Each structure stands twice: as structure tokens, then as C-alpha cells.
Amino acid sequence: MAADEIRFGATYADVAPQGSSTPVVELQKSMLRVYPNPANDKLNIDFGRPMKNAIISIFDLQGRQLLSKIIDGETEILDIQNLNKGMYILRLSDGSENTVMNFIKE
């Protein structure tokens, strides 16, 4: 595994996006890979399995949703050049589970 790559196994996250009182809880094993981390203009995402009508969202640390995109496939490249430098929350929802992780924009 490269130094600028993060791979997630069994994780737990408790994040309530702005306007929601329901936290996102992830207890399932995920093979989500996000790289590079920190990132500059592009964020590569490997879901570890094919996705159909999944939703990937990016939130700032105040819980404001900044990006939301429907995903079909096993990989995706997100354009994050318009984000300010800092830490962000990435959430993947596939209808049956949510996977949440942090990444840094440089």
C-alpha cells in the first residue's frame, strides 16, 4: 500500500450531516480505497466492488454537503479542485450501508 493511500476495513463513524439528526453508522467491512490522501485536484476512489446507483457525497467538517454524485461502477475520480484546503468527510451510500471516511485537500 502506498503512503498516500488509505484502505478501510471494519470501521465505525458517527457523523450527522447538516439538517439531519440521524448519524451515519458504518459497522460493515468495506474495501473502499481513496487516494491520494492528501489530494490536490482529483480524488481517486476504488469501491472494491461494482456499485449500482450508489451515492457518494462530500461534506465539510460543519456537516454542509458540498458534492453529491450517483455512482455506477467500481471506480470513480472526483474533481475536488474547487474545494478549499482542509479536511473533508466522504460518505458512500449504497442503499444498504454507509461508509464514511475523512480526506485532506491540499
Side-chain angles (χ1 to χ4, degrees):
M1 181 176 350
D4 63 353
E5 177 180 311
I6 294 178
R7 187 179 295 233
F8 287 82
T11 59
Y12 173 84
D14 186 0
V15 178
Q18 183 178 15
S20 171
S21 60
T22 306
V24 175
V25 178
E26 161 57 19
L27 295 173
Q28 301 295 321
K29 189 157 188 154
S30 173
M31 291 306 296
L32 180 68
R33 291 186 325 138
V34 176
Y35 59 95
N37 194 3
N40 289 310
D41 295 332
K42 305 288 183 201
L43 191 63
N44 299 285
I45 305 169
D46 181 346
F47 304 109
R49 61 187 166 95
M51 301 304 251
K52 182 72 175 161
N53 293 322
I55 299 173
I56 193 149
S57 303
I58 294 178
F59 298 89
D60 64 16
L61 295 181
Q62 287 74 42
R64 294 179 292 231
Q65 184 174 328
L66 305 174
L67 179 143
S68 183
K69 185 174 184 180
I70 295 174
I71 304 297
D72 288 315
E74 197 164 330
T75 62
E76 185 70 28
I77 299 173
L78 295 179
D79 181 355
I80 60 167
Q81 67 182 346
N82 292 329
L83 295 179
N84 293 324
K85 292 180 182 184
M87 185 175 290
Y88 292 89
I89 300 164
L90 183 136
R91 179 179 71 188
L92 173 66
S93 302
D94 71 358
S96 64
E97 70 181 41
N98 292 305
T99 304
V100 179
M101 62 157 296
N102 293 338
F103 73 92
I104 297 171
K105 163 71 163 61
E106 288 189 329

